[in-house]
Amino acid sequence: MLKRFLKNEDGATAIEYGLIAALIGVAIIVAVTAVGTNLTATFTAISAGLT
């Protein structure tokens, strides 16, 4: 029973998938923040050009 428990990798696999999902989430947040900042700068420049 102890050998079977030590060979069981289901928990490790779940943790790895969780870490991958967290990294993807962080990458999405960083990308959206960067795009939002650039978009704000673009609209500010357009607004200044129109006035």
Side-chain angles (χ1 to χ4, degrees):
M1 186 168 134
L2 182 59
K3 284 183 180 181
R4 194 171 77 230
F5 175 74
L6 292 176
K7 287 185 179 183
N8 188 356
E9 296 181 0
D10 291 339
T13 304
I15 291 171
E16 290 168 358
Y17 284 135
L19 289 173
I20 291 170
L23 285 174
I24 290 171
V26 168
I28 289 171
I29 290 170
V30 168
V32 168
T33 302
V35 169
T37 302
N38 290 338
L39 195 59
T40 301
T42 301
F43 279 118
T44 302
I46 291 171
S47 175
L50 291 174
T51 56

